[in-house]
């Protein structure tokens, strides 16, 4: 407008025309320079809802920051207020595209998030201009706790109309929730389970200080009992700490490589002394060749160790335990029944992945077995079946809980089947490791 006024004055006042024309040129140039400066918000957001998701990094520094954020972030368009299925994803950063199956043109919000609380928060930000925070849990084999933060953005033109927009950021709070839950569970379980042996130790100490002080036979017997109770407390604390550590890392899949057959053989060698003492025969069918799985060796050894220990506890003298390795099985093949007339229950079922293959280790005992109603609770902490004795050495009640959480972390499968009076069988499956070139030393070692 200022340029037009100066040109009109130049025509009316010829004497001032050169100065007025120069001023008009200066004003026009200044306006052009200002308009060329990029707007941080305008360059970050799409002008229409047709901008593909992959273009998130094409808008300067702010768009680069958006794309590089570790937290999943999405820009969502509102559509019609009464059409909840019309909320569209216009823009998603790399973290969001990795977390959700978002296509190039964005797609519908409801196709990737169906949590009612999150959808309601998006609507409040879109149409009531209110920022919201919502906590929710995503499904799947590994639960993840998320905090969704939704912020309204300035409306933009899209599809021929002004369309409201929101920015949604997802914060993964799984670790924080796990730590808090572990703290509460640890205090509750530890205080409950330690109360009995501590009371026993306190009672025997008082007795030894009193009338049994000068009785050598009673003193020796009480000291043996106290040593047993102290050993039980030590094993309980060790198992609690192990379970807490495994739960903390449960959502982080391991990436190591473990030969399941060799790990199982090491466990069988380690329990050979105990099995001979109890006159229980351990029969192993580990097959020939490697059975490499994706995992962490110490934890996989712990799974096999706990399953074999559990079988030994419930096996009587003269009976046997069968340990087998099954290679290259599909998920459905890991879930087949291996005992006739048995009741079978899946304790851990991984997410189905196209073409996933597994190596399975099974441990079968010929003990008392378990009734159908007890199977769903086997992996609960400190759960014990009433009326069943587990030999001289009482367990901590955490072995199968530890097995379950290790299998979950390894994205594997765990099942149990049992026939009352005829024993039980546990099967743990781990994802098979990708093929790799074998060295000459490994080949020679296998042949020998």
């Amino acid at each position: 407008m200022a340029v037009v006024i100066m040109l009109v004055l130049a025509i009316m006042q010829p004497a001032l025309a050169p100065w007025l024309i120069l001023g008009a040129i200066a004003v026009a140039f200044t306006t052009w320079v200002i308009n060329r400066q990029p707007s941080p918000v305008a360059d970050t957001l799409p002008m229409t809802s047709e901008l593909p998701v992959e273009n998130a990094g094409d808008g300067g520094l702010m768009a680069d920051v958006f794309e590089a954020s570790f937290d999943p972030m999405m820009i969502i368009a509102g559509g019609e207020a009464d059409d909840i299925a019309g909320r569209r994803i216009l823009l998603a950063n790399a973290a969001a595209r990795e977390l959700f199956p978002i296509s190039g043109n964005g797609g519908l919000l409801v196709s990737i998030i169906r949590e009612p609380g999150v959808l309601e928060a998006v609507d409040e930000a879109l149409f009531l201009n209110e920022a919201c925070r919502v906590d929710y849990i995503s499904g799947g084999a590994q639960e993840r706790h998320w905090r969704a933060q939704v912020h309204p953005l300035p409306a933009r033109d899209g599809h021929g109309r002004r369309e409201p927009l929101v920015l949604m950021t997802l914060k993964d709070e799984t670790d924080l929730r796990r730590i808090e839950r572990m703290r509460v569970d640890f205090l509750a379980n530890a205080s409950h389970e330690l109360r009995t042996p501590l009371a026993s130790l306190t009672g025997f100490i008082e007795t030894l200080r009193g009338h049994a002080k000068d009785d050598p036979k009673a003193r020796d017997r009480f000291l043996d009992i106290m040593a047993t109770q102290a050993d039980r407390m030590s094993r309980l604390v060790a198992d609690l700490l192990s379970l807490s550590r495994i739960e903390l890392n449960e959502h982080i899949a391991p990436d190591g490589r473990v030969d399941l057959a060799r790990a199982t053989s090491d466990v069988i060698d380690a329990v050979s002394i105990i099995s001979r003492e109890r006159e229980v025969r351990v029969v192993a069918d580990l097959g020939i060749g490697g059975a490499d799985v994706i995992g962490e060796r110490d934890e996989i050894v712990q799974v096999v160790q706990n399953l074999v220990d559990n079988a030994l506890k419930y096996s009587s003298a003269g009976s046997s335990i069968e340990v087998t390795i099954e290679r290259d099985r599909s998920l459905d093949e890991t879930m087949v029944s291996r005992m006739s007339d048995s009741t079978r229950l899946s304790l851990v079922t991984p997410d189905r992945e196209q073409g996933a293959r597994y190596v399975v280790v099974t441990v079968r005992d010929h003990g008392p077995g378990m009734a159908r109603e007890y199977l769903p609770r086997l992996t609960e902490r400190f759960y014990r079946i009433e009326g069943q004795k587990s030999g001289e050495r009482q367990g901590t009640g955490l072995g199968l809980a530890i097995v379950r959480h290790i299998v979950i972390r390894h994205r594997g499968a765990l099942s149990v089947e049992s026939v009352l009076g005829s024993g039980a069988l546990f099967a743990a499956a781990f994802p098979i490791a990708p093929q790799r070139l074998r060295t000459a030393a490994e080949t020679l070692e296998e042949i020998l």
Side-chain angles (χ1 to χ4, degrees):
M1 187 66 182
V3 174
V4 174
I5 294 174
M6 288 184 178
L7 291 176
V8 172
L9 290 176
I11 296 172
M12 297 177 63
Q13 300 289 336
L16 300 177
W19 301 105
L20 291 171
I21 291 173
L22 288 175
I25 293 173
V27 170
F29 178 77
T30 303
T31 304
W32 178 79
V33 170
I34 292 174
N35 289 335
R36 289 283 294 173
Q37 297 302 315
S39 169
V41 176
D43 281 351
T44 305
L45 302 179
M47 295 304 295
T48 70
S49 58
E50 300 302 321
L51 183 64
V53 173
E54 285 86 347
N55 289 345
D58 292 343
L61 179 59
M62 292 302 293
D64 290 341
V65 172
F66 174 87
E67 177 71 3
S69 173
F70 287 107
D71 295 328
M73 301 174 70
M74 292 175 284
I75 295 177
I76 302 163
E80 299 295 337
D82 56 352
D83 180 17
I84 193 171
R87 314 295 179 251
R88 303 182 312 284
I89 301 171
L90 301 187
L91 215 57
N93 67 351
R97 299 196 300 273
E98 182 179 352
L99 179 64
F100 299 113
I102 301 175
S103 61
N105 58 3
L108 300 177
L109 176 64
V110 73
S111 67
I112 62 169
I113 297 180
R114 296 181 176 86
E115 177 66 28
V118 176
L119 299 177
E120 184 178 342
V122 170
D123 278 6
E124 290 183 6
L126 283 170
F127 303 108
L128 300 180
N129 205 40
E130 294 181 1
C132 302
R133 290 186 178 89
V134 178
D135 296 329
Y136 78 101
I137 301 175
S138 61
Q142 292 79 37
E143 281 190 353
R144 298 181 71 177
H145 295 259
W146 297 95
R147 168 161 288 192
Q149 302 181 81
V150 187
H151 301 271
L153 297 175
R156 289 277 164 173
D157 293 329
H159 290 106
R161 64 179 183 276
R162 298 287 287 178
E163 198 167 30
L165 301 175
V166 297
L167 170 66
M168 181 166 70
T169 304
L170 300 178
K171 187 74 174 179
D172 190 349
E173 296 189 344
T174 304
D175 286 345
L176 294 176
R177 300 298 180 90
R178 287 181 187 275
I179 292 172
E180 177 61 21
R181 187 175 62 188
M182 286 164 49
R183 184 186 66 82
V184 173
D185 289 348
F186 179 85
L187 292 175
N189 293 330
S191 61
H192 174 76
E193 289 296 319
L194 291 174
R195 187 179 295 117
T196 299
L198 282 175
S200 177
L201 286 173
T202 302
F204 284 122
I205 290 172
E206 293 298 327
T207 303
L208 289 173
R209 285 177 173 174
H211 63 274
K213 179 171 57 177
D214 299 322
D215 187 342
K217 290 184 178 180
R219 183 172 65 245
D220 292 342
R221 181 164 60 89
F222 291 162
L223 287 174
D224 287 341
I225 297 173
M226 292 169 65
T228 301
Q229 295 297 334
D231 178 64
R232 179 187 173 192
M233 284 194 295
S234 177
R235 287 185 286 112
L236 176 61
V237 170
D239 281 352
L240 279 171
L241 292 174
S242 177
L243 182 58
S244 298
R245 184 186 67 253
I246 294 165
E247 284 183 322
L248 180 62
N249 298 319
E250 186 176 289
H251 64 292
I252 303 174
D255 56 5
R257 190 183 191 95
V258 182
D259 187 337
L260 183 57
R262 181 170 296 180
T264 302
S265 177
D266 291 344
V267 170
I268 294 173
D269 291 342
V271 302
S272 59
I273 296 177
I274 298 176
S275 62
R276 283 197 298 267
E277 290 176 351
R278 298 190 178 187
E279 299 179 4
V280 176
R281 192 164 57 102
V282 180
V283 181
D285 181 9
L286 307 184
I288 300 174
D292 289 354
V293 297
I294 301 171
E296 186 174 313
R297 177 177 171 79
D298 289 345
E299 292 188 355
I300 287 182
V301 167
Q302 195 171 11
V303 167
V304 180
Q305 181 80 55
N306 286 354
L307 293 180
V308 173
D309 283 347
N310 204 54
L312 282 171
K313 290 174 189 175
Y314 294 99
S315 295
S316 57
S319 64
S320 63
I321 296 172
E322 290 93 36
V323 183
T324 63
I325 295 290
E326 301 174 8
R327 292 165 171 78
D328 197 18
R329 297 291 191 264
S330 67
L331 181 58
D332 291 334
E333 289 172 335
T334 69
M335 298 181 176
V336 299
S337 179
R338 296 170 175 83
M339 295 175 62
S340 59
D341 301 323
S342 66
T343 299
R344 183 188 173 283
L345 179 68
S346 178
L347 301 174
V348 176
T349 304
D351 293 333
R352 287 187 177 271
E353 296 183 10
Q354 186 70 24
R357 309 293 289 183
Y358 299 85
V359 179
V360 187
V361 56
T362 67
V363 180
R364 161 80 191 273
D365 67 68
H366 296 269
M370 297 164 285
R372 179 193 301 267
E373 60 267 25
Y374 297 128
L375 300 186
R377 300 190 60 190
L378 288 178
T379 56
E380 292 182 12
R381 297 183 183 196
F382 304 111
Y383 178 73
R384 298 181 180 90
I385 298 176
E386 295 182 6
Q388 282 197 359
K389 295 182 179 180
S390 59
E392 296 178 0
R393 184 180 179 185
Q394 186 178 9
T396 62
L398 294 173
L400 290 179
I402 291 173
V403 168
R404 175 180 179 272
H405 286 286
I406 291 177
V407 171
I408 289 175
R409 181 180 180 231
H410 283 70
R411 282 38 173 179
L414 177 66
S415 63
V416 60
E417 48 188 305
S418 178
V419 178
L420 195 59
S422 299
L425 182 148
F426 286 86
F430 299 93
I432 195 168
Q435 293 291 329
R436 65 180 177 88
L437 295 176
R438 301 177 63 81
T439 65
E442 289 174 330
T443 304
L444 180 62
E445 181 181 354
E446 183 177 318
I447 294 174
L448 297 177

